[in-house]
Structures are given as C-alpha cells and as structure tokens.
Amino acid sequence: MEAWLEFGRGPLFRISFTLMVLGSLRIIILQIIGMIEAYNRSADKIVPWGDLWKKTFSWLIPIFNIWRKRPVYSVISVLFHIGLILVPLFLAAHVLLWKNSVGFGWFHISQSLADYLTLLVIITAPLLFLMRVLNKNSRFISRTQDFVIPLLLVIPFITGYICVNSSISATGYQVMMFFHVYVGNLIMIMVPFTKIAHCVLMPFSQFVTGVGWKFPKGAGDKIIATLGYGNKPTWFDNPRIGIVTEAETSQEQEDKK
Amino acid sequence: MELKITEEGLKKALKSARKPEVTAKQKLPVRYHVEDFKVEGRTRAFLEAFAAILKHSNYKFVLDHYIRISAKCSRCTTNCQIYEVTGDEHDIPCYRSELLLSIYRRHFTVAGQMSGRLFGDPGLTDEHLQELAASVWNCTACRRCVNECPMGIDHGLVTHLARYVLSEIGIAPRALVVSTREQLIGDSGNTSAIPVPALLDTLEFLEEDMEEEKGVKIKFPINVEGAEYLFVPAVSDFLMEAETLMGNAAVMTATGGSWTIGTGYFDGINYGLFYSDHVLEKAVQKILAEAERLKVKKIMIGECGHASRSAKYFYPAFCGGKDALPIINCMEYAYDMLKAGKLKLDPNVIKERVTYHDPCNIARPGWIVQQPRELIRAFCKDFVEMTPNGRQGVCCGGGGGTVSIDEIMPYRMEIGGKYKAKQIVDTGAHYVIAPCANCKKQIREIIDYHKLDAELVGLHDLIYKAIIFD
Ligand code: SF4
C-alpha cells in the first residue's frame, strides 16, 4: 500500500499534472488561434471589447448575477466552486507536494480555513447533484458526465478531510489516502477532456461569442462552390429548392378563403 | 393574464397548417411550409453542407468552444419566453443548441469520430434532422438566454448556424425564401415586390397628406446625389407603416436634414440574418451598391430592429471593413437632434399612457436602449416601462423571421407572444411603442388575438403627432 501511495504521489502525480497542464494549454492555445484566425478573416474589426470584458468579469466573479435567476442553485454552485478551486491549490500539504514534485510552490491558506472550505464542498456537491437529479429540466439536459463529475470531485475532499481530522487506524488512513490520491490524479487527467475544461476556458467565452458573429466576406459563394451548386445559391430554383408544391399552393388558397 | 399555456392553447398553437400529404412526402413534421427539396440522402447532404460551412466560415472555433464549455446548468430555462410558456424540456435553449452541437461533436471532432466507430453509433439520423428542423424555428433567435448563460454560450448564434446549414439543403420557411428570391433576383428587387412607380405614387400621396395635416411642405427626397443620409426602411413600411414614414420625413424636414430615398434599392429587410449568411451578405451589399450610386455619406435605417442590426453589425464585414460607411438608426438621429435642440416636440399632444417595447436586435447589444426613452420622456407625460426591459427585454415572439411565416401565427400568439401580451396588460398602457417592422406586425396581431385594450404605434408615429415646425 505504501508503495502505491508513493507512486500516486510521486511519478503518477507528475504525469497527471503534466497531462492536465499540457492538455489545458492545448485547448487554450487552439482556442486563441481559432479566435485570431476568425478575427483576421472577417473585415469587420469592430469588437465591443469593453462590453465583453464587463460580461467576462460579471461571470467570473458573479456576485451580482447569481441573485437574478435560480438564486438557491446559483449560490450553492458558487460556494461549491470557491472550495473546489481554493483547497486543492492552496492547502498547505498540497503546496508542499507541488514544491517537492514540480519544484515550485506558493502561499497557502490556514488549515482551519481549508477545513471549512472542504466541508463546504462536501455539503454543496451532493446538493448540486440532487438538484440536478430532482429538477426535471436539469435532469433532461444532463449528460452522464454531468451526474458523475460532482460525485467524483467530492471523493478527494471527503477522504482528505477524514485523513486530516479523524483518528482512524493506520490501514484506514492508507485506504483513505489511496482514494484521495488516485481519484485526485484521475480528476487532473480529466480536466482537458471533460466539462471541467470550463475552468480554463471560461475567461474566453464572451470573446469567442463576440468574435463568432464576425463573418468572413465571400464565404457563402465559396460554400456553394464547394457543394457543387456552382452559381446556383438557395434563392435560385435548383435541385435543393424546386418549384412550389402544388399541394401547398392549393392549401394556401383554401386558407385565404 | 396567466403565462403558462393551457391545454387548449397548446393544441391551437401546435396545429400544423401543412397538408399531411406534404408533410409525409417531405418527411418533415414542421409547421412552416417548405419548398420541395431532395428528401432522400438528406442527412448526408446536411453533413456535407455543414462541412463546407465550417470550412469557409468562422463557426468552427465557436463550436469547439461551446462543446467543451457547456456545463448544463439550466439557468437558461429562466430566460426563454418560449420555454416559460410551454414548460416543455425540448424548448430549453441549451437542449436546442445541443441538437446541433451533438452533430458537430459526433462528426467533426476526432474524439467523436473515434467513439462513434468504437460504439457503432450510426451518427446523424433522419429523426434527429427532423427534430432540428422543427426546433430551430420555434426559437425566435432573440438571444435573451445569452444573458443568463454563465458560460457565455450564444444559443442564438447556434440556432442561426443550424438554420443556415438546413437552408443549404433546402429546408427553410418558404415565406422567407420566396421573399429573398424576389429581393435578390426578382424584378422589383425588394422583399415586398413593390415596383418603383408604386413607391413613388405612395410617397407623393403621403406628401399631400402631410401638407394637409401639418400645413408644411414635407418632402421625400428621391435619388438626391451626395445627400448626407441614404434612408433605408424595412420595405414593408411603404405598405403598412405610413405614419412611421411620415414621422421620419417630418423629423428630417424639421431639423433640416439632408437625406434621400434611392429608387435603385430601398429595402432594409434582410432575411439572411435569420437563416443564411449568404443571403445576409448579398442583401447588405445591395445597400452598398445604392449608397455608392448616390454617393451618400451615411446610411440611416428606418424603424426596424433586424434591418438595423443586419446593417450595423454586418455592413463592415461585407462592405469595406474599416472604410465602410457609418450606419445609424433613425431613432439615433432623432435623439441627436433632440439633444441639439433642433427637434421640438409638443408635450401636450400625447395624453394617454405609453409603454416601450425593446426590439431584441437593437436592444440586446445595448445599442439603442436609452435614446428612444429620452425621446419619449421629452413629450409623453405618462410613460411606463415593461418589466423586464432594455437589454433584458423580452422578445415579442415574432423574432428571427418567424413573424413573416403566416402559417405559424397561432404558435406566435399562444406561445411566442404570450409573455409580451402579459407585459402589455401589466403596464396598462394605451400606446405600445415598438420601433421595428417585425415587432409591429407581431404585436398588432397579439393585441388583436388576445383582445388587449391597447394600440400599437411606432416611435415616429407619435413624434409625427407632436412635432413642432418653426
Ligand atoms: S434565443 Fe430567445 S427564443 Fe431562442 S432559445 Fe434563447 S431565449 Fe429562447
């Protein structure tokens, strides 16, 4: 067991950490390149930067936005995210781990604050899950990962909390630590490939939408050429759009009467 | 007024005006008429069209972003006037977008293609295509849901793209396609098929009317080369909104503005904004051609939300980038003149209570929100706001081109426009001001259908009543 833990905290951690960082960098860079390409392709360079920055920050720090709609769910969600972001990054033990394995660290939060934040996550994550399951809209639009991820995310928090705050047997401790470390690694690997990616992509969202509405000139002509419609776009009679159906014209005449 | 729809209302709303034979022949359970198109092999054709569009336009990076970031929080449910009335999960904005995003994920991403092969997923099915074709035309592309998406996903943009891809395989509301055809290759060159002599007759007639009513000579200057503004209203205004046009002319005359209407092209309507970037581009370029012919300095769009947006936000892209002529809306002009003290309005003419409806296309980006309100406050004593309003304003239910599809009128009344009807009742206003050709038609129908005690007007209609000539 000890060896497994060592592996999980040592080499495996380095691998997952690298995968997370490289994977995230990859999607961020692709995103930025895509955005720049699109911007360059369109002749329209008027982007409402101020408005987009404002929107971006209003959602990154959503103190004003969350009360408007679904306030209970939104507040719980925000609390969940606060704990979720702060604890893994700024827990003293984690900072030490970074330092030992990747060679650098940063400031850390006090153990008691970390404990409160951990409890916050442990309480809010199941609530979010329940709200997703019980609300018929949320349930309807959810994919498997939407149900699984909150439950998966909470495992390292529960196990971590138990390890730090309870006097369990040595084996118990090791089992807890095992789950803590391995699920933690799994989550890191999942970051770039699942919806967790929103933690790195969200700052770009408003800009993506803003630039997305900038259309390149001449694209329409190229598209019909590629499709082999030549100079016959949709507003000509052609195999795609033929003559008006008999049935419908007579139907309309009836309607008019 | 109850927002939630009744069973009976739902039945009325969802009744299709199409003949069952046609629906069966086209294998398309939608409510709007569609011209004949090639039915067999259409899923393939759809994917080919999608691929071509992704290749040549700017959508790819947007979709890449949206499929990764969507968190399915379902906050958008609280901001869609369609969903709020029907309560049907299929009308959740995020669900609607997912219909297209899932096709993108399955067919145009490596992960999707691989897992598709691995799990034997057949990919895009005809049923899925049918659902998409019905769903994207239930949405009014009002983009109100964007305001509540923490992830910044623009469901209006996704709907727009889905409609574009569908139109490339021939699935688009016939009403829009026929008008566009007339506009781009027809003899009249405009969506309402108004010939130039008829236009001139109408304007002359209006000039006589105005002289009689106001005792001042008010002109519609035709083909004036070198004028400051080329005036381009929604062409339907010439048929249906005479009062608005007279208001426009009165404002220009009273303020000594230099403007002109070009007989070469006088149609601001651009259905391309609703279903095809190709049409969008060609129609906007028709304005460019006319502006160049008459050597005007700026372009002024009449009271119309989508005409204003399609010009303001797409003219630079398609007509010269940085050097493109400035585009303004006629309300901006009137507002500037009011501030400059050149436009004078009599505060004792309009005594009834008025309220203002924000057309989505000009209010959502925060472009025209304050100007009309200041104009109204300048001469209407009893002005009440709808809630919510401005950038958060609710769609009239006829957005995204749906107002021009006559056969879906019951849907627009029972579902799309229900929220607006409730808002109007709640204000208790007599005049509902809606400065947009589409909103005007829709709200007029709402007032009629729901038997509301209100009158629909344009902002310039009221200005015309209250304007003072020195
Ligand atoms: S764009 Fe408007 S109608 Fe369409 S889903 Fe969003 S809120 Fe609903």
Side-chain angles (χ1 to χ4, degrees):
Chain A
M1 193 50 119
E2 206 31 65
W4 279 103
L5 276 181
E6 268 319 302
F7 176 69
R9 275 189 291 223
L12 184 61
F13 171 75
R14 275 192 287 272
I15 294 172
S16 345
F17 184 77
T18 317
L19 277 178
M20 174 177 77
V21 172
L22 291 183
S24 306
L25 274 179
R26 179 181 156 265
I27 51 177
I28 291 175
I29 290 170
L30 284 179
Q31 202 60 67
I32 294 176
I33 293 177
M35 202 148 61
I36 294 175
E37 267 176 9
Y39 179 80
N40 287 340
R41 247 198 277 182
S42 174
D44 179 5
K45 308 291 183 206
I46 308 159
V47 181
W49 296 112
D51 197 41
L52 295 178
W53 277 114
K54 225 164 87 195
K55 279 191 195 159
T56 304
F57 279 112
S58 80
W59 285 113
L60 284 179
I61 309 160
I63 346 173
F64 300 113
N65 289 357
I66 48 178
W67 313 104
R68 275 203 308 259
K69 297 290 166 77
R70 292 197 79 187
V72 180
Y73 175 83
S74 306
V75 169
I76 294 179
S77 168
V78 168
L79 293 177
F80 168 75
H81 281 89
I82 291 175
L84 192 63
I85 295 168
L86 293 184
V87 178
L89 287 179
F90 301 114
L91 181 80
H94 284 175
V95 176
L96 201 65
L97 181 69
W98 305 134
K99 225 181 223 150
N100 290 341
S101 56
V102 285
F104 56 91
W106 43 78
F107 85 99
H108 59 85
I109 53 179
S110 73
Q111 189 58 42
S112 60
L113 177 60
D115 279 347
Y116 286 125
L117 290 174
T118 305
L119 281 177
L120 199 63
V121 174
I122 296 176
I123 297 165
T124 51
L127 283 180
L128 286 181
F129 174 79
L130 276 182
M131 289 177 104
R132 195 176 276 285
V133 175
L134 297 179
N135 180 308
K136 83 175 182 22
N137 302 329
S138 303
R139 196 172 57 228
F140 185 76
I141 58 173
S142 295
R143 305 148 297 187
T144 320
Q145 57 161 313
D146 298 309
F147 296 113
V148 174
I149 286 176
L151 298 182
L152 194 69
L153 286 178
V154 82
I155 293 177
F157 284 84
I158 297 177
T159 50
Y161 189 82
I162 294 176
C163 286
V164 174
N165 290 296
S166 70
S167 43
I168 43 169
S169 69
T171 354
Y173 180 89
Q174 281 195 336
V175 173
M176 286 297 142
M177 239 336 158
F178 178 83
F179 278 107
H180 182 79
V181 170
Y182 278 82
V183 175
N185 279 316
L186 177 66
I187 292 170
M188 280 198 282
I189 299 174
M190 282 166 68
V191 168
F193 305 106
T194 55
K195 76 167 193 177
I196 312 177
H198 73 256
C199 64
V200 293
L201 289 179
M202 203 176 142
F204 302 97
S205 263
Q206 304 292 345
F207 299 97
V208 168
T209 297
V211 177
W213 280 105
K214 307 282 162 207
F215 299 157
K217 189 179 166 185
D221 288 333
K222 286 185 204 147
I223 288 163
I224 57 161
T226 305
L227 290 174
Y229 296 134
N231 58 356
K232 291 256 178 188
T234 43
W235 52 84
F236 282 86
D237 291 342
N238 65 59
R240 290 169 295 166
I241 295 189
I243 355 81
V244 181
T245 356
E246 282 295 319
E248 291 207 350
T249 3
S250 58
Q251 169 91 28
E252 259 184 321
Q253 276 159 5
E254 269 169 45
D255 290 351
K256 281 218 174 96
K257 273 180 218 158
Chain B
M1 185 176 234
E2 201 34 63
L3 203 56
K4 199 93 191 144
I5 195 164
T6 57
E7 259 204 27
E8 190 196 343
L10 198 64
K11 232 191 237 149
K12 266 194 233 159
L14 299 185
K15 196 170 167 295
S16 171
R18 278 155 60 92
K19 279 206 159 175
E21 305 93 88
V22 180
T23 305
K25 194 177 114 210
Q26 296 188 338
K27 295 209 189 79
L28 206 59
V30 294
R31 280 182 298 274
Y32 51 89
H33 295 316
V34 181
E35 290 183 332
D36 273 352
F37 62 99
K38 233 163 101 197
V39 176
E40 86 270 14
R42 63 183 174 184
T43 49
R44 241 218 106 68
F46 181 91
L47 291 175
E48 278 166 11
F50 201 173
I53 288 173
L54 289 174
K55 183 165 165 219
H56 296 293
S57 64
N58 271 348
Y59 293 107
K60 196 164 170 26
F61 86 102
V62 182
L63 298 184
D64 275 334
H65 188 81
Y66 288 175
I67 57 168
R68 289 203 179 104
I69 203 167
S70 177
K72 308 286 171 209
C73 67
S74 78
R75 273 176 69 95
C76 52
T77 51
T78 59
N79 245 25
C80 173
Q81 87 278 3
I82 304 285
Y83 175 77
E84 283 186 59
V85 173
T86 64
D88 182 347
E89 293 96 333
H90 296 86
D91 286 327
I92 297 174
C94 206
Y95 175 79
R96 196 191 317 287
S97 297
E98 185 64 24
L99 289 175
L100 186 75
L101 293 180
S102 62
I103 301 175
Y104 177 76
R105 196 183 292 115
R106 167 66 182 81
H107 290 277
F108 299 99
T109 64
V110 181
Q113 286 163 349
M114 276 190 342
S115 72
R117 218 161 284 159
L118 214 63
F119 300 112
D121 173 359
L124 175 61
T125 60
D126 203 64
E127 287 71 40
H128 190 101
L129 192 75
Q130 292 172 25
E131 186 180 359
L132 182 72
S135 181
V136 291
W137 286 99
N138 286 347
C139 168
T140 61
C142 70
R143 300 172 65 225
R144 185 158 180 261
C145 44
V146 187
N147 288 350
E148 284 307 325
C149 181
M151 299 299 149
I153 296 178
D154 190 336
H155 302 292
L157 181 60
V158 180
T159 298
H160 172 87
L161 171 61
R163 289 175 176 189
Y164 184 20
V165 184
L166 283 168
S167 82
E168 285 297 336
I169 63 167
I171 302 178
R174 197 183 70 210
L176 303 186
V177 177
V178 169
S179 303
T180 301
R181 187 173 295 145
E182 183 60 33
Q183 179 183 29
L184 295 181
I185 53 171
D187 291 336
S188 68
N190 63 72
T191 47
S192 290
I194 304 177
V196 173
L199 171 82
L200 296 178
D201 270 0
T202 310
L203 294 181
E204 202 176 305
F205 179 75
L206 293 183
E207 282 172 355
E208 280 164 22
D209 257 15
M210 288 191 286
E211 189 166 2
E212 217 165 85
E213 285 170 19
K214 295 280 165 187
V216 185
K217 254 204 167 341
I218 303 173
K219 301 276 309 161
F220 285 103
I222 305 292
N223 290 335
V224 181
E225 256 187 49
E228 174 137 13
Y229 293 104
L230 174 67
F231 181 65
V232 193
V235 76
S236 50
D237 281 8
F238 292 114
L239 298 175
M240 297 171 3
E241 309 295 345
E243 302 262 316
T244 308
L245 286 178
M246 297 200 289
N248 288 131
V251 169
M252 294 314 285
T253 307
T255 59
S258 146
W259 67 307
T260 186
I261 294 175
T263 51
Y265 190 63
F266 43 90
D267 186 2
I269 288 181
N270 193 336
Y271 290 137
L273 182 64
F274 306 137
Y275 80 94
S276 162
D277 295 356
H278 202 185
V279 175
L280 179 65
E281 176 173 349
K282 298 293 173 199
V284 165
Q285 284 170 346
K286 288 194 78 169
I287 301 183
L288 169 72
E290 185 67 352
E292 279 178 349
R293 182 177 79 88
L294 292 173
K295 304 189 186 63
V296 294
K297 299 186 190 67
K298 295 176 195 162
I299 292 159
M300 187 198 295
I301 310 291
E303 279 193 11
C304 184
H306 94 277
S308 301
R309 174 164 165 231
S310 54
K312 166 111 175 164
Y313 293 102
F314 298 99
Y315 194 84
F318 297 133
C319 306
K322 280 205 181 77
D323 307 323
L325 295 183
I327 307 266
I328 67 159
N329 177 282
C330 60
M331 289 185 286
E332 286 181 288
Y333 177 85
Y335 171 75
D336 287 345
M337 289 299 126
L338 181 80
K339 290 278 118 168
K342 287 191 189 164
L343 175 64
K344 295 186 196 72
L345 300 165
D346 184 350
N348 299 314
V349 179
I350 310 294
K351 300 200 174 66
E352 296 87 344
R353 174 174 286 189
V354 301
T355 185
Y356 179 78
H357 161 75
D358 285 284
C360 302
N361 281 314
I362 54 178
R364 200 77 64 219
W367 173 27
I368 297 177
V369 177
Q370 233 20 68
Q371 303 89 324
R373 289 181 163 78
E374 296 213 14
L375 281 164
I376 295 168
R377 288 206 182 93
F379 72 108
C380 299
K381 290 201 181 86
D382 189 6
F383 170 54
V384 282
E385 288 278 14
M386 302 183 182
T387 32
N389 57 53
R391 293 186 81 163
Q392 282 281 357
V394 179
C395 177
C396 62
T402 56
V403 73
S404 309
I405 310 171
D406 281 327
E407 61 270 21
I408 63 166
M409 202 271 271
Y411 186 87
R412 281 190 278 114
M413 294 301 115
E414 292 285 353
I415 295 177
K418 194 80 175 287
Y419 204 126
K420 192 52 46 178
K422 182 174 170 357
Q423 278 190 315
I424 293 174
V425 174
D426 290 348
T427 60
H430 172 75
Y431 284 124
V432 181
I433 302 177
C436 167
N438 288 356
C439 306
K440 276 176 188 154
K441 176 163 184 275
Q442 164 79 357
I443 294 179
R444 228 176 246 136
E445 288 175 0
I446 290 178
I447 291 176
D448 213 37
Y449 188 93
H450 291 287
K451 305 201 174 48
L452 307 185
D453 186 20
E455 186 183 335
L456 184 277
V457 288
L459 179 55
H460 279 80
D461 304 26
L462 290 191
I463 290 181
Y464 179 69
K465 287 188 210 283
I467 195 164
I468 302 170
F469 293 90
D470 299 318

